[in-house]
Structure formats: structure tokens, C-alpha cells
Amino acid sequence: LKDLRVNFALKDLGELNFFLGIEVKKTGDGIVLSQEKYAQDILKRVGMQNCKPCSTPLSTTEKLSRFEGDPLTAEDCTHYRSIVGALQYLTLTRPDLSFAVNKVCQFLHNPTSIHWSTVKRILRYIKKTTNTGIEIKRSRSALVSAFSDADWAGSVDDRRFTGGFAIFFGP
């Protein structure tokens, strides 16, 4: 910090607690990054703060199609895009939402009532898990682990695949 002050004007704001919508909570051996307030704000924005929670963000058997459901009105399309964009930001500290949010992002150009129902299910899952976050612990390990998965020809509309990966440094 001293070296930086030589070249830059710095102001120490104390312990980091909240930054860009991400809450930082210290634990004994690390920190937990979460977006609990942001998740609650999304639920409030949609009027689902008192909704019935569910235990999974997406049904494992459900295949979304661009041809199913009734098209949303222009105003509802804008609302859909706004909420899905907010959900994308929430995935920064909630990798458990990444797959489901990616699925609903695939229909931003022309969402239907079925897609909106899927977004509402994701929101019901968020209601149950608002305090979930990423725990980062101190470690001496330099182990790098990588995982990937793909659903070949998983899209019912164009037979494209969906793939994903996660890379971890340390335990």
C-alpha cells in the first residue's frame, strides 16, 4: 500500500463489505461472496418476494423450444429481457444458476409464455437459496481442476449442443 501511495492518491475506506452488488463476508479462513440483497431486489422487482420456493432452478427433463408457448407482448418482452439480464449478473456468485439462466438467455430475441414460466421457476429457486454464495478459503494448494460437460444435439430447434466448463484453482 505504501508503494502505491507514492505514485497514486489513495484513500483507505476500511474493510470491504459491499462492492458492485456483491456482499463480502469474512469467515475464519477466507471470505464468502454473495448477492443476497441483489437477489431479493430481483424478486421484489418481479413481485415474487412471497412466492413458493422450489428446490431446483430447472427441470432436468424440460426441453425449451422457441416454437412453444404464446409470444409475449412488446412490453413483456422488455420485462423478460430485463429480468434475465439481472439473473445473468447474479450468476457471478451463483454458478448453480448458470445453466438455467443460459437456457432462458437463448430466447431473448423472441420469448414466449413458456420461457417466462421457466424464468419464474428460476426465481422461485432463488427465493429458496437467497443466501447462497461462493466461499473462498486460504489454501497452500496450487491444484488446478477443470470440469466440462456437453449436451450434444440437445436443442430441440436446431440440434446444436450446449457445453459448459468450470476451472478451479486450489481445493
Side-chain angles (χ1 to χ4, degrees):
L1 192 58
K2 287 180 186 179
D3 294 337
L4 287 174
R5 284 194 175 139
V6 170
N7 295 316
F8 303 100
L10 296 179
K11 183 176 180 181
D12 186 0
L13 299 175
E15 292 290 322
L16 178 63
N17 295 313
F18 196 79
F19 183 72
L20 295 176
I22 299 174
E23 299 165 52
V24 181
K25 297 175 187 168
K26 281 191 157 190
T27 61
D29 60 345
I31 59 173
V32 175
L33 304 177
S34 69
Q35 292 172 290
E36 186 173 351
K37 183 183 179 320
Y38 185 73
Q40 290 170 348
D41 289 346
I42 294 170
L43 291 170
K44 189 174 185 180
R45 200 163 95 192
V46 181
M48 292 182 65
Q49 64 269 30
N50 296 319
C51 68
K52 180 182 174 187
C54 75
S55 57
T56 59
L58 193 64
S59 169
T60 57
T61 59
E62 186 175 16
K63 296 280 188 179
L64 296 175
S65 170
R66 64 180 175 198
F67 303 113
E68 292 179 354
D70 300 321
L72 299 179
T73 64
E75 185 178 328
D76 289 340
C77 283
T78 300
H79 187 61
Y80 177 91
R81 292 177 186 120
S82 172
I83 297 302
V84 170
L87 290 175
Q88 278 186 306
Y89 187 68
L90 191 58
T91 63
L92 289 175
T93 61
R94 298 287 306 271
D96 57 324
L97 297 173
S98 295
F99 180 80
V101 172
N102 177 273
K103 278 291 184 196
V104 295
C105 283
Q106 294 173 17
F107 305 99
L108 288 172
H109 61 285
N110 195 17
T112 68
S113 56
I114 300 292
H115 306 136
W116 178 242
S117 294
T118 304
V119 169
K120 288 185 356 186
R121 180 181 174 131
I122 295 169
L123 292 168
R124 289 177 47 228
Y125 172 73
I126 290 169
K127 170 69 176 173
K128 183 177 179 118
T129 61
T130 52
N131 60 351
T132 302
I134 293 179
E135 186 175 13
I136 301 172
K137 292 183 177 183
R138 291 184 187 111
S139 173
R140 296 186 187 274
S141 172
L143 176 70
V144 176
S145 304
F147 303 90
S148 67
D149 194 10
D151 182 9
W152 297 102
S155 171
V156 295
D157 296 329
D158 55 16
R159 308 305 291 160
R160 290 188 180 172
F161 81 97
T162 303
F165 65 90
I167 300 173
F168 298 93
F169 181 70

